[in-house]
Amino acid sequence: DKPIRECVAFPLLRPKVVQGGGSDVSSSDLVVDSAAQIEELPATQVVDPTLGVFDAGITVDAATNFMRQHVKDPNLIRHNIATGIIMRALAKHFGAACPENWEIAGVLHDVDYEEVPLEQHSLVGAEMVLKLGVHSSIADAIREHNYHHKLQPGTAMSKAMMSLEQITGLIAASAFVQPDKKLASVKLSSLKKKIKEKSFARGVDRTMLSQCEPLLGLPFDEAVALCLSAMQERASELGL
């Protein structure tokens, strides 16, 4: 099987590699539940809709307001906003035509988290945003990001969110242990080392992180650099 960026539906891209100090983080350094691994979809002639132009049915600001109506925990609000930030960066990395639509998916991905039992999480959220008039591709990404449902991610947007949304917790935790508690003080080399430490940010679910390479063709080490840079550039929105 080929990584997604080598398939017809996802043309080969050569994104910039962000250089950083320290040893690389490989998939072998991550704790992965093998039962949760998602098999890659076969190559198809159908163009991935999340890479093209489409009307999201909502703006980023409106999505953020809607999320805040349903999410009250400050840490979860920060996680949703941070996921939107890294999703926009990932969209640009893979050449998506509408990066803001990926950000909307990230902002809304945990919109139901405080309101439903965990076994219904993401399923209810997807229905909530569909009723709001949000595009079905965004709803699909929200539904599929919860790997406990064992749903196959059908688009680049879904694969990115399923595999990488939890990295925001590791990056935020790295900021909180800095003397000034700022993202600007987080060094890539230090972050890579902390990710390998099972005792660091123990509450962050690392299960799917190693899947970004088999699902997206994006080495985890590159994903760490990309997501850290994205969150640092918009740190003020995160209060970090």
Side-chain angles (χ1 to χ4, degrees), residues 86-106:
I86 69 163
M87 285 293 288
R88 178 184 279 262
L90 288 162
K92 292 179 179 179
H93 180 86
F94 289 120
C98 298
E100 65 275 13
N101 293 349
W102 288 47
E103 181 169 357
I104 289 166

Side-chain angles (χ1 to χ4, degrees), residues 97 112 135 197:
D112 65 353
H135 194 280
E197 299 173 8

Side-chain angles (χ1 to χ4, degrees), residues 24-93:
D24 290 350
V25 180
S26 67
S27 59
S28 61
D29 295 317
L30 301 171
V31 179
V32 180
D33 178 357
S34 60
Q37 294 184 12
I38 307 296
E39 291 185 2
E40 185 179 345
L41 293 175
T44 174
Q45 298 295 322
V46 178
V47 175
D48 185 334
T50 65
L51 296 176
V53 176
F54 66 95
D55 182 358
I58 193 171
T59 64
V60 173
D61 286 344
T64 302
N65 290 336
F66 183 74
M67 180 270 292
R68 287 178 177 274
Q69 291 173 22
H70 294 274
V71 178
K72 302 304 178 183
D73 181 83
N75 291 324
L76 186 55
I77 290 173
R78 181 186 294 113
H79 169 62
N80 281 315
I81 294 173
T83 301
I85 288 171
I86 69 163
M87 285 293 288
R88 178 184 279 262
L90 288 162
K92 292 179 179 179
H93 180 86

Side-chain angles (χ1 to χ4, degrees), residues 129-169:
V129 302
L130 283 173
K131 290 179 181 178
L132 196 63
V134 173
H135 194 280
S136 60
S137 291
I138 293 174
D140 289 343
I142 292 170
R143 182 184 301 107
E144 293 164 3
H145 90 270
N146 184 355
Y147 69 87
H148 291 289
H149 299 311
K150 294 182 169 60
L151 301 174
Q152 234 179 14
T155 63
M157 181 189 288
S158 287
K159 293 180 180 186
M161 189 142 70
M162 173 181 276
S163 60
L164 287 170
E165 56 104 0
Q166 287 290 333
I167 201 172
T168 64

Side-chain angles (χ1 to χ4, degrees), residues 9 15 19 66 76 107 118 141 146 156 159 195 199 215 223 231:
Q19 299 297 326
F66 183 74
L76 186 55
V107 167
L118 287 178
N146 184 355
K159 293 180 180 186
I195 289 173
S199 60
L215 289 176
M231 288 177 62

